[in-house]
Amino acid sequence: MVYKHIFITGNVKAEKYKTKGTPVIPKPLPVRNRASHSAKLLQQFDAIWAEKAQLQQQRGAEQIAFREGTYISFASAAGHDLITKSLEDLKQGIRLLNVKEIPVGENQKQIRATVYIPNGKEGLFTIYT
């Protein structure tokens, strides 16, 4: 089947293009010493996994049914953004469950996110790249 091209002449009018809306400027991340902040986060993850192991042992001894996985809440510094996109990995079963803004102080908000991490995937947050 052959298609003919359509050419329209005499109806051309140049118009100026103007974008709609204004760009969203992200809030700056807090200035931190990366090495000490990383060490602090690794220490907090170790404490979470140790507490989880202890709870599983207690629940197993008492024969209490429980969901296979861990729920962790992440919080931003007051007045700063939390990069939530990197908290979820659907291929690994890690799910970002909710994100909410909580007022703290005057005219400042804190972002809190809850993440579900299935058993066996706990180390994915501490892998070095």
Side-chain angles (χ1 to χ4, degrees):
M1 184 176 245
V2 177
Y3 293 100
K4 295 183 180 182
H5 290 82
I6 299 172
F7 293 98
I8 301 174
T9 58
N11 292 337
V12 179
K13 179 180 169 187
E15 294 184 14
K16 290 187 176 184
Y17 175 76
K18 188 173 185 178
T19 61
K20 295 179 182 179
T22 57
V24 177
I25 301 171
K27 295 178 186 175
L29 296 175
V31 178
R32 292 190 173 118
N33 179 323
R34 292 178 66 150
S36 65
H37 185 63
S38 174
K40 178 184 173 188
L41 290 175
L42 289 172
Q43 186 178 28
Q44 289 175 335
F45 276 119
D46 288 342
I48 289 169
W49 305 140
E51 184 178 346
K52 177 186 175 187
Q54 183 182 15
L55 285 172
Q56 282 182 324
Q57 190 176 30
Q58 287 175 347
R59 289 176 178 159
E62 297 171 5
Q63 297 181 352
I64 298 173
F66 58 94
R67 187 166 175 99
E68 300 290 324
T70 306
Y71 295 87
I72 298 179
S73 181
F74 293 88
S76 71
H80 289 29
D81 207 1
L82 179 66
I83 302 173
T84 56
K85 186 177 181 179
S86 61
L87 296 176
E88 184 172 58
D89 187 347
L90 296 176
K91 291 180 182 177
Q92 299 293 333
I94 298 172
R95 300 193 178 277
L96 178 63
L97 300 177
N98 67 25
V99 178
K100 54 185 164 182
E101 290 184 357
I102 298 171
V104 289
E106 284 189 35
N107 299 328
Q108 288 193 339
K109 294 183 180 179
Q110 182 181 50
I111 310 291
R112 290 196 186 163
T114 303
V115 177
Y116 170 73
I117 304 169
N119 281 346
K121 305 296 182 179
E122 295 89 353
L124 293 176
F125 279 98
T126 57
I127 293 176
Y128 298 98
T129 56

